[in-house]
Amino acid sequence: MRKLSSILLAALLFTACQKEKATVTPPATSAKPAGEVAVTPESKLKTNATINWSGYTWNVKAPTGTAGPGPNYWNPANVWVDANGWLHLKISKNPSNNHWECAEISSTQNFGYGTYQWQIDGPIATFDKNIVLGLFDYSGNDGRDEIDIEFARWGNSAWPNLNYTIFPKAGDPPTPASYSTEFTSPGGTYTTHRFKRTSTSVVFKSLYGFYNDDTNLFLTKTFNSPGTSISTLSMPVLLNLWCFNGLAPSNGQGVEVVIHNFKFTAL
């Protein structure tokens, strides 16, 4: 287990270094208290579209060529909101260029202390080993000021597929805090995932079905400060569906996830 934990931590650290690596302007080194505007990831500026979803405006990632994480190709056509108001994120192979193309949105609004919740319909428990779905807030400073829920095996089908990670605020030691476990979905494809961020803790929760309380809770993990460095910044929320290391799905199949809603409840 210690060896596996070390490998998983190394994978998480590597992944953090890949997130927006080529496209981010680092923020100022001094941390800002929650409620102040955080530095905006440059990747948000490399867009050609916005969408309205769950009561917020979101930028759709559409860089020229490849960009992190991955690096990957990103297609704004792989992001849309349907007539029910549900967000669709898709990975697909473009027959015109044979590129696997991914999907990402980032909020135009910044969020601080409070509860972040997503309700998801999709095969997240059975993803190919090279597929990653990320739900997170992130300042744009690689390896810093980030809180993640990620469904990913990081290229190894033997690794657990549900990951909670906290990257430290600027100025603290660079080691992230993380927890990974195997996730199955015996009750269908509807799941709810949330975290509550305060100045002293981050509490992650995952549930079977769509619930705003703790009904059908199957996993919770608490990280406390001191011990875990928790960002004090207000930051954008991002959702992305992408290929680990830019690798094609090993099963050769695309994937689509539907996020019914995102809900933020401020403290």
Side-chain angles (χ1 to χ4, degrees):
M1 290 298 293
R2 180 176 297 177
K3 181 177 180 182
L4 177 57
S5 297
S6 298
I7 294 172
L8 286 170
L9 181 57
L12 287 168
L13 283 167
F14 175 80
T15 303
C17 292
Q18 296 302 307
K19 286 187 176 178
E20 316 300 346
K21 189 177 183 74
T23 59
V24 169
T25 300
T29 55
S30 59
K32 303 179 181 65
E36 290 192 17
V37 175
V39 171
T40 301
E42 186 184 344
S43 62
K44 290 179 61 179
L45 306 178
K46 294 176 179 288
T47 64
N48 63 2
T50 60
I51 59 169
N52 294 311
W53 172 65
S54 282
Y56 301 101
T57 301
W58 307 79
N59 289 308
V60 180
K61 189 169 187 173
T64 300
T66 61
N72 281 288
Y73 294 94
W74 306 85
N75 189 340
N78 284 357
V79 175
W80 71 94
V81 178
D82 66 24
N84 295 308
W86 302 340
L87 173 70
H88 294 246
L89 301 178
K90 183 178 179 181
I91 292 176
S92 60
K93 190 174 185 179
N94 188 331
S96 68
N97 54 28
N98 289 324
H99 294 159
W100 285 93
E101 296 174 335
C102 304
E104 179 179 289
I105 63 171
S106 55
S107 64
T108 60
Q109 179 174 330
N110 294 323
F111 300 85
Y113 298 139
T115 299
Y116 301 67
Q117 178 177 282
W118 298 263
Q119 294 185 326
I120 300 171
D121 177 15
I124 56 179
T126 57
F127 273 170
D128 180 82
K129 66 180 182 178
N130 293 334
I131 299 298
V132 182
L133 173 65
L135 316 169
F136 55 108
D137 61 349
Y138 174 48
S139 71
N141 187 6
D142 286 324
R144 300 286 186 175
D145 296 305
E146 181 176 349
I147 301 172
D148 294 288
I149 301 173
E150 291 169 303
F151 306 90
R153 297 189 186 276
W154 311 115
N156 188 326
S157 58
W159 286 358
N161 60 350
L162 176 52
N163 308 271
Y164 301 151
T165 308
I166 300 172
F167 290 93
K169 59 188 177 185
D172 284 353
T175 305
S178 65
Y179 177 80
S180 298
T181 191
E182 184 65 23
F183 158 60
T184 61
S185 187
T189 59
Y190 280 20
T191 55
T192 300
H193 305 271
R194 70 173 76 105
F195 61 79
K196 182 177 181 180
R197 174 163 71 102
T198 73
S199 61
T200 58
S201 68
V202 177
V203 180
F204 293 90
K205 293 184 177 182
S206 291
L207 308 91
Y208 295 126
F210 288 172
Y211 298 99
N212 293 317
D213 57 17
D214 286 352
T215 301
N216 286 344
L217 178 72
F218 68 85
L219 180 65
T220 184
K221 178 68 175 177
T222 299
F223 296 86
N224 291 307
S225 174
T228 298
S229 175
I230 299 170
S231 178
T232 62
L233 300 181
S234 288
M235 303 179 283
V237 166
L238 289 84
L239 298 86
N240 55 21
L241 186 64
W242 53 283
C243 297
F244 177 64
N245 277 352
L247 298 171
S250 64
N251 60 9
Q253 298 179 11
V255 66
E256 183 176 327
V257 173
V258 181
I259 300 94
H260 282 222
N261 58 74
F262 164 71
K263 181 180 180 181
F264 175 75
T265 305
L267 292 181

